[in-house]
Amino acid sequence: MGLRGRSGLPAGTGLLLVFPIEGDVCITAEGVAFATEVLFARARGEVTAAERFAADDARVVCAPARVVLEVEAGALDAEGIECTLELVDVPLPPL
């Protein structure tokens, strides 16, 4: 379900998807009512891809990841996130 059915996100928040193993993860924004930015990252926080989706964007984007962060478009610029995603206190299953 992800962000479908929401009208937006509160400032400074997002959806963090944590997967049991690292592998190719595919994301779409079809059915999402607002523009989003998505970061795909490895378990240690290395960003493997970043994508901006328009509202109701039916494209499917895939990248290697253990975690995916979805936020409203513009939030990453506002927060100053650059090349890495710092994962603090996120319980990840062992590699």
Side-chain angles (χ1 to χ4, degrees):
M1 179 111 180
L3 298 175
R4 288 184 184 117
R6 294 181 173 268
S7 59
L9 292 170
T13 67
L15 173 64
L16 183 65
L17 304 169
V18 180
F19 298 93
I21 61 170
E22 190 169 294
D24 283 343
V25 175
C26 298
I27 299 291
T28 184
E30 187 171 14
V32 177
F34 53 96
T36 58
E37 294 171 337
V38 179
L39 288 179
F40 298 81
R42 298 190 185 281
R44 307 262 187 263
E46 173 195 354
V47 174
T48 59
E51 189 67 37
R52 184 171 282 191
F53 288 95
D56 199 30
D57 193 333
R59 292 179 302 128
V60 176
V61 175
C62 302
R66 178 87 184 273
V67 296
V68 174
L69 176 65
E70 297 185 43
V71 296
E72 274 201 58
L76 297 180
D77 296 333
E79 297 299 323
I81 296 173
E82 295 176 7
C83 295
T84 61
L85 175 64
E86 184 178 358
L87 301 176
V88 179
D89 296 328
V90 176
L92 295 177
L95 292 175

